[in-house]
Amino acid sequence: MPIEAGLLEILACPACHAPLTETDAELLCTGQDCGLAYPIRDGIPVLLVDEARRPA
């Protein structure tokens, strides 16, 4: 279930405040030094730094 475009425009990375982009099941931070990936569970983004996947 994709995130609505209006919601995606106002969401930002909690760690660095950079914009987020949507992939299949995650929201990816676009910040160059951050790059955290936040899961989307049941159509709801989980924007908790502790739940985010670190970049490889």
Side-chain angles (χ1 to χ4, degrees), residues 7-36:
L7 178 60
L8 193 56
E9 286 180 16
I10 62 171
L11 291 178
C13 175
C16 71
H17 308 290
L20 298 169
T21 58
E22 185 176 10
T23 63
D24 294 330
E26 294 180 318
L27 292 177
L28 298 174
C29 176
T30 58
Q32 292 179 348
D33 295 330
C34 185
L36 292 175

Side-chain angles (χ1 to χ4, degrees), residues 3 11-12 14 20 25-27 36-53:
I3 303 293
L11 291 178
L20 298 169
E26 294 180 318
L27 292 177
L36 292 175
Y38 298 93
I40 300 173
R41 295 188 185 128
D42 297 323
I44 301 169
V46 181
L47 297 177
L48 300 171
V49 175
D50 291 341
E51 294 285 325
R53 180 177 55 81

